[in-house]
Amino acid sequence: MSALTKTKMSNFRWVICGLLFLATTVNYMDRQVLSLTWKDFISPEFHWTDSNYGNITAAFSIFYAIANLFAGKFIDWMGTKKGYLIAIFVWSLGACLHAGCGWAAMKWGGYTSIAELGQLTGDAAVMLATISMYMFLACRMVLALGEAGNFPAAIKVTAEYFPKKDRAFSTSIFNSGASVGALAAPATIPLLARAWGWEMAFIIIGVLGFVWMGLWMWLYEKPHKSKYVNQAELNYIEQDNDIAEVQNKHEAKEEKTISFWKCFTFKQTWSFIVGKLMTDGVWWFFLFWAPAYFSDQYGYTSDSLMGILLILTLYAIVTVVSIGGGYLPTYFVEKRGMNPYLGRMRAMLIFACFPVLGLLAQPLGAYSAWWPAILIGILGAGHQAWSANLFSTIGDMFPKSTIGTITGIGSMAGGLGSFAINKGSGEFFDWASSQGSAFTVMGFEGKPAAYMVVFSICAVAYLIGWFIMKSLVPKYKPIVVED
């Protein structure tokens, strides 16, 4: 019995996956506090328009994109333990700093209370909207700087703790933290804002990151150094390596990396860039604009029971459906005998079809707001399943020493896509509102017509991205670093 006990494999890799899930959950809750408070709590104080909010989300996206370009390299250089700690400290600090914007705006204008801000009119109100917008922009930049480190670190840790055949599934689990965070946010943030003010919503959610830092310092070490990983689990984790490499792995020199600029010479890099550029903006659009959409189109504010239920339904669908997305390529690999890359691409083609249902969201919304919630939820589930497999293609193609760098490069491209859609949408919505019935699309007028246009773009982005990726890298071809 004792011999059997000794050979039984530990499962600490799933504890690490759980930590990645928690970090990603906190990441998306911090990111969503503004989207759930601006329309009904912040805007009345600061007189924001859709363009003001669009500028903030666009600036966050572009700075996030720039930060991602260097975040991956930073994680590769600093290492996953220290790098992840620094990233979450910075973004948690940035999240808490948002709470000071109201006080800063009050002091800037020489007012005695924040309530006076909502009473301003004319040029004073426009000036306040502009100044407060830049205050929030500064806080969003700090948030973006830290959040840029989350996915490069998480993908690198996944490559450290899981063999290739399990990476898409483990990635889908931790990546589901994005939808769980988006699910938890509407259930808590509007209520916090209504009970204690929008400032406390930022602070309470921001503090969660500091709690996570304690867990990470306590539990994380690389697999061969971790006291919680036994030899059986270590052998399972390293099953993709040659036997001789496993035996000498920790005596050998550190794996050679690929220089930053050389990464751009590989089609595999550009395939990942295209996948992120074409699709990340879709997810961020719905993350940032869904609460405003239900408020604008149906009158359900973010703190109303119906508004909360609609957003909860949307992200509940995303959470439940997307986790299964990581298992599908495992089925193709183990049951159909495909190589990991081919299995992932087959799965991604299937998931690229989910967003097409988004074309029906606005038309069916004429009957009930539940239809857009359900269809956008299916679209979001398709994105998260797509994203989990897209991230896993990096581990298939590149050496572990370069995974953080490639993740950062691709995430930069995703940030650029998000900048384009959020900046464009804010301006587009204000313009469409001003046009009224003069702007018509498929029977919709004004701002509803603008939503129809943006939904249509989101619906086809994944299929276009998949075909470009497939043309760049038609077959499995890993990168080999020459000595």
Side-chain angles (χ1 to χ4, degrees), residues 254-259 262 266 397 399 401-402 477-483:
E254 187 70 20
E255 186 179 29
K256 187 175 181 180
T257 189
I258 301 173
S259 69
K262 187 173 178 60
F266 300 113
M397 299 293 189
S401 59
T402 312
K477 190 177 180 181
I479 302 297
V480 178
V481 182
E482 300 294 340
D483 295 328

Side-chain angles (χ1 to χ4, degrees), residues 95-126:
C96 293
L97 286 175
H98 286 71
C101 290
W103 177 85
M106 180 186 71
K107 291 298 182 182
W108 165 81
Y111 302 103
T112 58
S113 69
I114 294 179
E116 291 182 58
L117 303 179
Q119 306 301 316
L120 299 179
T121 58
D123 291 341
V126 174

Side-chain angles (χ1 to χ4, degrees), residues 110-156:
Y111 302 103
T112 58
S113 69
I114 294 179
E116 291 182 58
L117 303 179
Q119 306 301 316
L120 299 179
T121 58
D123 291 341
V126 174
M127 180 64 72
L128 174 64
T130 303
I131 294 297
S132 62
M133 179 185 73
Y134 283 112
M135 290 177 179
F136 273 87
L137 275 177
C139 297
R140 298 306 276 181
M141 287 183 178
V142 178
L143 182 71
L145 182 64
E147 289 200 340
N150 183 69
F151 281 99
I155 296 299
K156 192 174 181 70

Side-chain angles (χ1 to χ4, degrees), residues 394-421:
I394 308 172
D396 295 337
M397 299 293 189
F398 290 89
K400 291 180 182 178
S401 59
T402 312
I403 286 175
T405 301
I406 299 299
T407 304
I409 292 172
S411 296
M412 176 207 66
L416 291 175
S418 179
F419 166 80
I421 195 168

Side-chain angles (χ1 to χ4, degrees), residues 173-245:
I173 291 176
F174 90 69
N175 196 43
S176 69
S179 48
V180 170
L183 179 65
T188 56
I189 291 168
L191 299 180
L192 290 173
R194 183 166 60 183
W196 293 307
W198 60 265
E199 295 91 345
M200 283 304 298
F202 279 102
I203 292 174
I204 292 171
I205 302 302
V207 165
L208 296 177
F210 296 116
V211 176
W212 183 92
M213 289 175 64
L215 294 173
W216 188 248
M217 292 175 67
W218 172 38
L219 293 171
Y220 176 81
E221 289 291 349
K222 288 193 175 182
H224 66 278
K225 293 181 179 179
S226 176
K227 63 182 179 181
Y228 303 108
V229 177
N230 65 12
Q231 189 60 46
E233 185 175 16
L234 186 61
N235 291 341
Y236 181 83
I237 291 169
E238 296 182 325
Q239 65 181 265
D240 297 319
N241 301 328
D242 294 329
I243 295 176
E245 185 182 355

